[in-house]
Amino acid sequence: MTQPTRIRRCHAGHLWQGDGWSREGIFGVDAEGMLQAVEDGPAETLGSWVLPGMPNLHSHAFQRAMAGLAERRGRMDDSFWSWRETMYAFAAAIGPDDLKAIAAQLYVEMLKAGYTQVCEFHYLHHQPGGAPYAPAEAMSLALVEAAREAGIALTLLPVLYMRGGFDGRPLGARQRRFGHEVDGYLRLLESLRELEAADLRVGIALHSLRAVPEDAMQAVLASGPAREGPIHIHIAEQLGEVQDCLSIRGARPVEWLLDHADVGARWCLVHATHLSEDETARLARSGAVAGLCPTTEANLGDGLFPLVDYIDAGGVLGIGSDSHISVSPVEELRWLEYGQRLASRHRNVAARHEGASVGQTLWRAALQGGAQVAGLPIGALQPGHRADLLVLDDGSPLLAAREAPALLDSFIFAGNTPLVRDVMSGGRWVVRDFRHHDEERIAQRYRETAQRLRRA
């Protein structure tokens, strides 16, 4: 991996600056992998089109290895709940070494696709049956090691998972390796926060309202670790979850959360698919981020997020690849828009005024929301931010004769040929000419792991 010099100048023909493309952008990268302002002068030319790397705000890394293995119809009506049983069975075979191999392969794929940071919503804590590993944080450490091996920035979100439903039932046999009580969970957080660095942030994840009782949620939110940093939660993904919450807590999930917690800009409400008009408006006003995962939500048959009403209310959003049935920010954004087109029978839905670009609208929104709930200085090519950037393939026929106004629309909507040529993460080139610097070794270890899991 190429090591950065003390300050090196970089030049882009066009540099994405949030509100549009600037021409002839020159910036510096320091020895810590941070962007710095520099004077004009000799500089390394990166390419014609340079973008900030995309944050991936929701990931369950281990599920990458089961992508494609749950696509046969069962005897019952298939849904999220039947898929979950397949996932539990798969998760039961995975240990720390397996998780590291799977996650490293996934993170290489993310980098090559244009993600330079990932929020890992991590609940696979213990051994099957619930006994702790030694050390207790072994599975979390496997993710940290995998992220550093691949070269991607990581926001690690250890998950509090306590109960099997809104009625308070205990965890089932296949859920026990996910579980913590509040004291043990807070000890895990404190241990992991000692590892924080420029490429690692540790936040809080509450699995869901059905898995975390109200008193436990309030205890965690009142604790020291919750006073700063990101807070993520699955919410309102399934209609069954909404109905159970109404039955037992007397309110819809997002409504209940907004009434019982100080939800603000540090929060990411993952999925939030099934919202009333009032919940949509209140969520937008809160400043929290709606964490949308369109390819997973489509794969699981979840439903469609009320995108138009949320954007019109000023809501903040980001994207994640979740179960990794697809690992592509382009596809997440494409299907975020296409789902709305299919439902409304109109085009260019996310662009809310005449002449606006759908590609620019969605890329800008996903950068903002992802950076906001990652807890790291990312998402912009500005001094003081991590040098996380993508260089597009300006020689691709898909970008031929494209000027700045149409560039992001073509990147997202013009085809499936990979267009991310080079990727810099934390000031280091991790992908050059479409290849990750260590992808052969990481892929071979992953293949061996997948074969072993198949036999398990």
Side-chain angles (χ1 to χ4, degrees):
M1 188 183 298
T2 304
Q3 297 297 319
T5 56
R6 188 171 60 88
I7 289 271
R8 69 182 190 274
R9 289 181 175 84
C10 299
H11 169 267
H14 298 81
L15 193 66
W16 178 257
Q17 294 288 15
D19 56 352
W21 294 98
S22 68
R23 290 185 61 85
E24 305 299 330
I26 295 180
F27 56 92
V29 179
D30 69 19
E32 283 70 48
M34 304 296 289
L35 294 169
Q36 302 292 342
V38 293
E39 302 294 331
D40 290 347
E44 174 188 3
T45 298
L46 305 186
S48 298
W49 307 101
V50 177
L51 289 161
M54 180 61 68
N56 186 331
L57 58 62
H58 194 62
S59 167
H60 305 297
F62 76 93
Q63 292 178 16
R64 179 57 178 158
M66 64 169 282
L69 297 180
E71 306 305 321
R72 290 181 178 269
R73 189 176 182 94
R75 285 180 291 179
M76 65 181 77
D77 287 338
D78 277 350
S79 67
F80 166 84
W81 306 103
S82 56
W83 171 89
R84 191 177 71 160
E85 292 304 308
T86 301
M87 181 270 289
Y88 284 169
F90 186 81
I94 294 173
D97 290 342
D98 304 316
L99 182 58
K100 180 178 176 180
I102 295 166
Q105 173 63 27
L106 169 66
Y107 297 158
V108 167
E109 294 175 20
M110 285 186 185
L111 288 162
K112 293 176 69 175
Y115 291 117
T116 51
Q117 182 277 342
V118 58
C119 294
E120 190 62 51
F121 198 100
H122 170 56
Y123 54 82
L124 207 57
H125 296 299
H126 311 303
Q127 299 180 53
Y133 285 101
E137 62 270 25
M139 294 292 272
S140 295
L141 295 176
L143 291 167
V144 173
E145 291 167 4
R148 287 180 171 157
E149 188 173 40
I152 197 167
L154 174 67
T155 300
L156 182 62
L157 301 164
V159 172
L160 178 61
Y161 199 130
M162 299 178 65
R163 301 292 180 265
F166 280 103
D167 57 5
R169 75 190 77 161
L171 297 179
R174 289 188 291 186
Q175 296 172 316
R176 288 175 190 148
R177 70 179 310 190
F178 312 157
H180 278 102
E181 294 302 314
V182 170
D183 288 347
Y185 177 70
L186 293 178
R187 285 195 299 271
L188 176 66
L189 286 180
E190 294 290 355
S191 173
L192 292 173
R193 286 200 164 176
E194 294 178 2
L195 305 176
E196 287 191 328
D199 61 349
L200 174 64
R201 189 78 163 97
V202 177
I204 286 172
L206 308 170
H207 180 271
S208 56
L209 294 183
R210 70 178 184 271
V212 180
E214 180 181 1
D215 58 348
M217 182 188 81
Q218 299 297 354
V220 170
L221 295 180
S223 68
R227 292 173 190 160
E228 59 180 23
I231 303 170
H232 293 223
I233 184 171
H234 289 138
I235 200 160
E237 180 180 4
Q238 290 288 322
L239 285 173
E241 174 192 349
V242 175
Q243 293 160 357
D244 288 349
C245 193
L246 277 166
S247 175
I248 293 176
R249 296 198 183 182
R252 298 171 62 87
V254 171
E255 174 190 15
W256 188 93
L257 183 67
L258 293 170
D259 286 342
H260 291 83
D262 185 18
V263 175
R266 294 189 294 122
W267 284 72
C268 180
L269 276 62
V270 181
H271 304 304
T273 304
H274 300 287
L275 302 180
S276 67
E277 290 184 9
D278 182 62
E279 286 176 306
T280 301
R282 289 183 66 193
L283 177 56
R285 288 198 302 271
S286 76
V289 174
L292 308 180
C293 308
T295 61
T296 291
E297 290 152 5
N299 184 263
L300 297 180
D302 288 346
L304 289 172
F305 179 80
L307 183 68
V308 169
D309 290 344
Y310 187 69
I311 291 176
D312 288 349
V316 185
L317 62 88
I319 56 167
S321 56
D322 193 355
S323 68
H324 316 300
I325 201 73
S326 171
V327 184
S328 167
V330 164
E331 191 170 10
E332 298 300 337
L333 294 176
R334 184 183 296 175
W335 279 101
L336 179 57
E337 169 70 16
Y338 282 176
Q340 303 298 315
R341 294 186 188 189
L342 289 168
S344 68
R345 298 185 296 280
H346 288 86
R347 299 189 69 252
N348 299 324
V349 176
R352 304 304 298 150
H353 59 83
E354 186 176 352
S357 156
V358 176
Q360 290 190 20
T361 297
L362 291 178
W363 192 270
R364 180 189 302 116
L367 284 175
Q368 176 191 345
Q372 181 175 311
V373 293
L376 290 164
I378 58 175
L381 298 179
Q382 299 287 346
H385 288 70
R386 275 176 55 93
D388 293 348
L389 59 87
L390 317 178
V391 182
L392 301 187
D393 180 17
D394 49 21
S396 171
L398 297 184
L399 300 184
R402 294 298 189 266
E403 300 296 332
L407 195 286
L408 275 171
D409 292 325
S410 297
F411 177 38
I412 294 171
F413 295 105
N416 294 314
T417 301
L419 292 175
V420 177
R421 187 187 72 201
D422 305 317
V423 179
M424 180 182 288
S425 177
R428 293 169 170 80
W429 291 114
V430 291
V431 175
R432 298 305 301 261
D433 294 322
F434 302 101
R435 295 194 66 78
H436 185 274
H437 66 90
D438 200 19
E439 68 177 85
E440 290 85 359
R441 184 187 64 82
I442 288 172
Q444 179 58 32
R445 186 181 60 191
Y446 172 79
R447 285 189 287 266
E448 293 167 359
T449 298
Q451 288 290 346
R452 187 166 58 253
L453 291 172
R454 181 185 178 186
R455 296 190 295 267

